[in-house]
Amino acid sequence: MFRVDLTTFDEHMVSNGVDVDRDAEWARDGSRIALVRNAQSLWTVLADGSDAHEVTSDSSLFFQGPQWSPDGSRIIYVAADAGTNPSRIYSAASTGSGSPAFLTLGSEGRGPLAWSTDGSKILFVSNRTGNLDAFLMNANGGSPTNISNRAQDDSAPEWSPDGDDVALVFQGRIWLFAPDGTNPRNLTGTSTNGDGQPHWSPDSSQLFFVRGTALYVMNRNGANQHAIGISSVLDFAVSPTGAKIAWIGTQEDMSGELYVANADGSLPTRVTNNADKEFHPRWRPCPH
């Protein structure tokens, strides 16, 4: 795992060079990074990889998708075993104190996970209904509410920064729902190009998404959908100010490299250049 300074393009290894790290996520204040180490433990480190603290570990489980609570006190994550048991959602103190809390009460739960802006609710995906639906539950667990509740799979739910809507993918189109499941809106209409990966602008006014392999943006109500000139996109992230986009692309190297550009697609710049595949770009949050 590496951190890249976009003013100098200097790369700094955050991993310790021994263990296998993945699924890195910044704390909301940018002070620490949560990561999955060797698939079976959850750690936090400073931005330079120092001051490593183990949050929890379990040799019988495989961890993924950690997400910090807004106040930084807890980290939720998904854990699954190699058998037939369903994947489960846990919550752990970010300091590693105490035992993790089991939130999904024996029923299946999976990522991507997302906290509400006030930290009181958690958004997740589950196939407990026979297909993938988006669910909402209290941060301390309990009975979740199915907010999409359809006969075919929903995926990639993402809460708007203002907390008023949830964007998700259904049948290759981008939809919005109120957090209680009401007011469903199909934003990308009859598109047959495979729309996916919705990500909000920080002010909640726009949604960026991938259509086919090209990056698009639209207004919150679905108006003004247009490509921004970035193609061959595997994964992407919007900067905390909304001014830039980082993405993993294959336009020059099929292994996948990291690029950045202005949010309108201008001034694209290749950041990495190596034989290895890059993935999971995440911006460091702006300090408050």
Side-chain angles (χ1 to χ4, degrees), residues 49 51 72 117 142 182 226 230 274 281:
D51 193 34
T117 54
T182 61
H226 62 278
I230 295 173
N274 56 68

Side-chain angles (χ1 to χ4, degrees), residues 74-79 87-92 101-126 128 133-148 157 159 166 179-181:
R74 301 197 70 80
I75 300 173
I76 52 175
Y77 59 96
V78 176
S87 58
R88 292 148 290 189
I89 298 172
Y90 291 83
S91 173
F102 177 27
L103 301 183
T104 44
L105 302 177
S107 296
E108 202 260 3
R110 65 180 71 178
L113 308 175
W115 293 85
S116 61
T117 54
D118 64 2
S120 67
K121 303 282 186 181
I122 294 170
L123 182 66
F124 68 100
V125 173
S126 177
R128 65 186 65 196
D133 283 321
F135 285 81
L136 193 64
M137 68 177 170
N138 291 333
N140 60 357
S143 298
T145 300
N146 185 340
I147 69 168
S148 56
W159 219 307
V166 172
D180 63 1

Side-chain angles (χ1 to χ4, degrees), residues 2 15 31 39 41 44 103-104 130 198 206 217 225 233-235 268:
F2 289 82
S15 298
S31 63
S41 61
T44 71
L103 301 183
T104 44
Q206 294 180 305
V217 67
Q225 296 179 30
V233 175
L234 299 179
D235 191 8

Side-chain angles (χ1 to χ4, degrees), residues 235-269:
D235 191 8
F236 77 98
V238 184
S239 73
T241 64
K244 292 186 178 293
I245 300 287
W247 76 96
I248 306 301
T250 58
Q251 52 265 55
E252 297 178 87
D253 185 338
M254 292 306 293
S255 69
E257 297 290 348
L258 176 65
Y259 297 80
V260 296
N262 292 331
D264 63 2
S266 63
L267 299 179
T269 303

